[in-house]
Amino acid sequence: EAQVTQNPRYLITVTGKKLTVTCSQNMNHEYMSWYRQDPGLGLRQIYYSMNVEVTDKGDVPEGYKVSRKEKRNFPLILESPSPNQTSLYFCASSLMDNRREQYFGPGTRLTVT
Amino acid sequence: RKEVEQDPGPFNVPEGATVAFNCTYSNSASQSFFWYRQDCRKEPKLLMSVYSSGNEDGRFTAQLNRASQYISLLIRDSKLSDSATYLCVVNSGGSYIPTFGRGTSLIVHP
């Protein structure tokens, strides 16, 4: 089954404790991206990747890191999480770039206390 | 001015009604357009792409008006299961960052 998976689905952590949210897709898509969704603000892109070893900032990259060492995986790293990073996070992938349909993972609900 | 704007609603309609949403965009160089559906706190899922000539998929019709810079979504014969938030997405030429609207909430009641 074609899908995007994310782990963990729910995470409660404390300020400053490094964490990684994994994202994996099995559709051989080149384009992958991370979004955060906050009430009243809609989906905002954090980072995107056009292919292996090619990443770039989205609209709200501060406080986040990503890597793309393999085509299927695109982890999101929070080196020192802060409470303002409490949000619902979605990973997505697309065949070529953002101009095609994006397939979203199920989301990760992160709470930073 | 926000790049992509949607009326947040909620649009509260009875089953069987026809309802339409608009989504305006500010960048005239925008090239591709989509409607996604999002159920409460779940992942967005593609409803339909929006083509220049307009397109229809069952009860759903999407249209693009480049002159006035908006896209629309028409839902005919609304079902209870159509209750969701509808997100419009606009992609501009030269940018790999899609712009999402904040969504329009639809509630279909018996």
Side-chain angles (χ1 to χ4, degrees), chain B residues 2 7 18 36-37 46-48 54-55 64-66 80-81 83 88 103:
Chain B
K2 299 186 187 71
D7 181 342
T18 295
Y36 282 76
R37 171 196 169 122
L46 181 71
L47 180 65
M48 57 199 305
N55 46 300
L64 167 63
N65 186 316
R66 284 196 183 273
L80 295 176
S81 57
S83 298
C88 70

Side-chain angles (χ1 to χ4, degrees), chain B residues 2 12 20 23-24 35 61 75-76 79 94-96 103 105 107:
Chain B
K2 299 186 187 71
N12 206 317
C23 169
T24 59
W35 284 104
T61 300
I75 305 175
R76 290 181 296 277
K79 312 291 184 190
S95 171
Y96 294 112
S105 175
I107 301 171

